[in-house]
Amino acid sequence: RPLSWSRAPSGSSGSSSVVQSFVTGAGGAAYNLEASLDGKHWVPLAAVTHPLVDGDSDFTTVEPAWTFLSINLTSIGAATKLEVLYAN
């Protein structure tokens, strides 16, 4: 997994997390957000597409039960910078 991170286990009583992303440049980008309980078996949560617009942003809410999150980049423009932020 090129970009993945572990969340602190919070169980079903924890609060949701947010994964936010934004692009700079004019090439656009797309990625799949996936989650796992064990770091081996992954479930798709969202497909995020940033259009060919500089400064576009998007966010996805993630339920607290997931232990691991991963971003799988599916496309990015040659002159595009994609930034992904995670807040628990």
Side-chain angles (χ1 to χ4, degrees):
R1 300 223 160 256
L3 174 61
S4 61
W5 59 93
S6 173
R7 299 171 34 147
S10 57
S12 60
S13 62
S15 59
S16 297
S17 301
V18 173
V19 175
Q20 182 176 6
S21 58
F22 61 94
V23 294
T24 53
Y31 66 87
N32 294 320
L33 175 62
E34 299 178 346
S36 173
L37 295 174
D38 60 7
K40 296 178 184 178
H41 303 94
W42 296 88
V43 175
L45 296 181
V48 178
T49 301
H50 291 282
L52 306 174
V53 178
D54 184 41
D56 184 65
S57 66
D58 199 340
F59 73 92
T60 302
T61 303
V62 179
E63 295 304 314
W66 297 108
T67 306
F68 299 92
L69 297 175
S70 177
I71 299 294
N72 289 316
L73 191 62
T74 56
S75 68
I76 190 164
T80 302
K81 178 180 178 184
L82 170 67
E83 296 191 44
V84 180
L85 308 167
Y86 163 74
N88 192 6

